[in-house]
Amino acid sequence: MNVLVVGTGYVGLVTGLCLSMHGHHVTCVDQDQAKVDALSRGISPIYEPGLEDLLQAQLQANQVQFLSYVPTDVIIDIALIAVGTPSMATGEADLSAVFAVVDELARTLPPHCLLATKSTVPVGTGTRIEALLRSASRSDIRVASLPEFLREGSAINDTLNPERLVFGVNDAETEQQLRSLHAAIEAPVVVCDRATAEMIKYASNAFLATKISFINEIANICERVGADVSKVAQGMGLDSRIGASFLRAGLGYGGSCFPKDTRALVNIAGQVDYDFTLLRAVVEVNQRQRLEPIRRLYEWLGDLQGKSITLLGVAFKPGTDDVRESPSIELARELEAAGANIRFCDPVVKQFHDNGRHFEVTDDPFEALHHADAAVLVTEWPQFIKLDWTQAAKQMRQLFLFDGRNVLDPGEMEAAGLILSNIGYRPKHTYAVV
Ligand code: UDX
């Protein structure tokens, strides 16, 4: 098939390249000319394992091309919208990029195309797109919802081997076309109407975020009653009704999806006069959780004024260079406001901007820890877990270490001379669970 993908972020780029691997002819469009130029030369603007190799292979095979405009001289069977839907101040998803694309596609798409949304869009957006197309005299274009569930860091594998496909369609022809587009993928397909598909995406992300906030609440209670949250999660997760995934206590969820989508779903509910009490609490718990280390830093250091604190990890999770809604950045803002000096370390992120300020990041943990009064492990990169902590401790002025992801072995840290605290109580010795 001939596929047009608009937007070359994590979702658009990975989707486009994976579809091209399946033999479809793909045109990826992005308004950012510099990005298009880099992609056309085989350079990926984002860090995602395996992505650059895949890009170069598909360019070489002539299966994909990158343009800064929607072409009118290329056959297109299906157009996918994969542009950003960031949060507005109200929590509502900003759909201006989506509607700008629809406007352009109404003028450029060939007759009887299928238009599907990959971006996470509020329930009812498909119907609004249909109305826009009708007012532009383009009722010939059919509209579908095709939500994406890929995770950054494993985006290619998630796209090639999804656990399910969701087709939000209003007619059998569209369903058939989407089945053909995904013919190479073996996965259960949920066929439903558009509003239901749009809700599946939000409900999935909101549920996973709920699991994370739930285990973080349990962790905070564990710390106070002397129970080990890692074992609690293990003991809970073996119940197949609960499941083991997304029960890792830590500094909460970040990234481009969970924070934005949970806020948006609270807003969607509010617009139909429904107070989504549970999800509001999930958001609030997450907000509080990312600042957990601060309480301990005050206990350790008293005043934070002039103290040197190292944040290990800037990416919102390992395996990505994405810093959107990263706990590290929020933690740094609070610590700076308390007068602390912050140094950042990350194996992939080299620099970032926050509130118009530029921050440098070193990839050398020893350099970052030099003369530090305390360190907080924010992102569980393997480089930090495997670090020679005895050597690391020698760099530090004071030996306080907060493990915000519960990945460091308390016995090993003690042997290195470090004073360790983590999320929820984690004892030095436990009996192995069989
Ligand atoms: C998520 C969804 O998983 C994906 O289906 C959707 O399409 C986009 O949002 P992503 O944001 O890439 O993907 O990362 P994910 O691995 O799901 O982690 C999200 C956040 O939750 C991270 O900040 C991670 O650190 C945190 N997390 C995850 C926990 O704190 N504990 C866990 O047990 C799992």
Side-chain angles (χ1 to χ4, degrees):
M1 295 176 111
N2 299 289
V3 186
L4 176 80
V5 182
V6 186
T8 59
Y10 289 89
V11 170
L13 184 55
V14 174
T15 303
L17 290 175
C18 289
L19 286 172
S20 77
M21 270 178 87
H22 289 153
H24 301 297
H25 297 284
V26 178
T27 302
C28 291
V29 170
D30 200 293
Q31 60 181 10
D32 183 339
Q33 184 68 52
K35 212 168 167 185
V36 167
D37 290 344
L39 285 164
S40 304
R41 281 184 281 122
I43 300 165
S44 170
I46 50 181
Y47 173 82
E48 177 66 36
L51 190 61
E52 204 160 75
D53 288 347
L54 179 58
L55 167 67
Q56 288 166 7
Q58 295 313 102
L59 280 170
Q60 207 147 37
N62 249 333
Q63 285 293 121
V64 65
Q65 63 167 338
F66 295 91
L67 298 172
S68 59
Y69 55 90
V70 177
T72 45
D73 56 351
V74 172
I75 304 167
I76 298 168
D77 303 306
I78 299 184
L80 303 178
I81 300 183
V83 294
T85 54
S87 275
M88 296 196 285
T90 52
E92 198 179 338
D94 180 353
L95 294 177
S96 51
V98 171
F99 291 133
V101 169
V102 172
D103 203 47
E104 188 177 2
L105 293 179
R107 283 181 276 111
T108 45
L109 281 186
H112 307 293
C113 247
L114 171 60
L115 174 57
T117 48
K118 269 269 157 204
S119 309
T120 303
V121 288
V123 182
T125 302
T127 306
R128 285 177 69 187
I129 293 176
E130 205 168 58
L132 268 173
L133 291 170
R134 207 178 313 119
S135 64
S137 307
R138 291 304 311 266
S139 303
D140 58 299
I141 299 174
R142 282 162 295 121
V143 180
S145 166
L146 189 60
E148 178 53 60
F149 301 96
L150 66 80
R151 290 162 300 175
E152 290 175 23
S154 54
I156 296 171
N157 187 48
D158 287 353
T159 307
L160 295 175
N161 306 294
E163 292 190 347
R164 83 293 211 184
L165 294 166
V166 175
F167 298 166
V169 295
N170 283 358
D171 59 273
E173 187 190 345
T174 306
E175 177 191 335
Q176 215 37 60
Q177 219 171 347
L178 290 178
R179 283 191 187 276
S180 307
L181 183 69
H182 298 91
I185 292 175
E186 265 181 53
V189 182
V190 178
V191 182
C192 52
D193 58 54
R194 277 191 315 241
T196 305
E198 289 163 346
M199 184 53 109
I200 287 172
K201 171 71 196 210
Y202 277 108
S204 301
N205 278 356
F207 186 76
L208 293 171
T210 303
K211 278 187 99 174
I212 297 170
S213 279
F214 181 86
I215 199 66
N216 283 335
E217 289 276 71
I218 294 291
N220 296 339
I221 302 167
C222 279
E223 187 177 322
R224 287 158 177 82
V225 299
D228 177 356
V229 70
S230 305
K231 293 289 171 200
V232 172
Q234 189 179 5
M236 287 170 64
L238 288 168
D239 184 330
S240 63
R241 293 170 302 174
I242 298 173
S245 62
F246 280 76
L247 287 181
R248 277 182 292 111
L251 295 180
Y253 57 79
S256 62
C257 289
F258 286 177
K260 162 176 85 72
D261 294 348
T262 44
R263 288 193 295 261
L265 187 51
V266 167
N267 190 281
I268 290 166
Q271 288 189 2
V272 288
D273 289 329
Y274 191 85
D275 180 3
F276 199 155
T277 320
L278 177 62
L279 194 56
R280 275 197 295 111
V282 166
V283 172
E284 192 185 319
V285 167
N286 195 60
Q287 201 54 36
R288 199 182 58 210
Q289 192 66 16
R290 32 183 64 194
L291 303 180
E292 252 316 286
I294 292 183
R295 191 168 47 91
R296 190 48 54 91
L297 289 172
Y298 271 117
E299 275 172 25
W300 279 333
L301 301 171
D303 191 4
L304 298 185
Q305 186 69 40
K307 296 292 185 325
S308 185
I309 295 171
T310 304
L311 298 183
L312 297 170
V314 178
F316 82 94
K317 67 169 190 178
T320 181
D321 61 350
D322 198 343
V323 301
R324 284 176 286 181
E325 307 247 10
S326 167
S328 202
I329 296 178
E330 196 142 339
L331 202 47
R333 278 185 212 142
E334 294 291 324
L335 291 171
E336 273 202 340
N341 301 316
I342 311 299
R343 263 170 302 158
F344 298 94
C345 180
D346 195 284
V348 172
V349 179
K350 305 267 175 271
Q351 55 184 13
F352 67 94
H353 291 89
D354 183 42
N355 282 335
R357 280 175 64 200
H358 175 88
F359 293 87
E360 289 289 325
V361 181
T362 175
D363 61 1
D364 180 352
F366 292 162
E367 183 192 324
L369 289 166
H370 189 62
H371 283 177
D373 292 298
V376 181
L377 188 147
V378 185
T379 315
E380 66 275 35
W381 282 103
Q383 287 89 333
F384 299 146
I385 300 171
K386 288 188 288 196
L387 191 67
D388 180 341
W389 280 100
T390 306
Q391 284 308 316
K394 288 185 181 147
Q395 313 300 316
M396 297 174 71
R397 185 159 49 208
Q398 300 195 66
L399 295 168
F400 297 116
L401 174 63
F402 191 101
D403 175 6
R405 296 292 173 184
N406 285 356
V407 288
L408 300 175
D409 179 62
E412 203 186 305
M413 295 306 114
E414 190 185 81
L418 289 153
I419 297 157
L420 180 76
S421 189
N422 47 31
I423 298 286
Y425 168 77
R426 190 175 165 203
K428 210 165 48 178
H429 305 291
T430 53
Y431 294 103
V433 173
V434 181

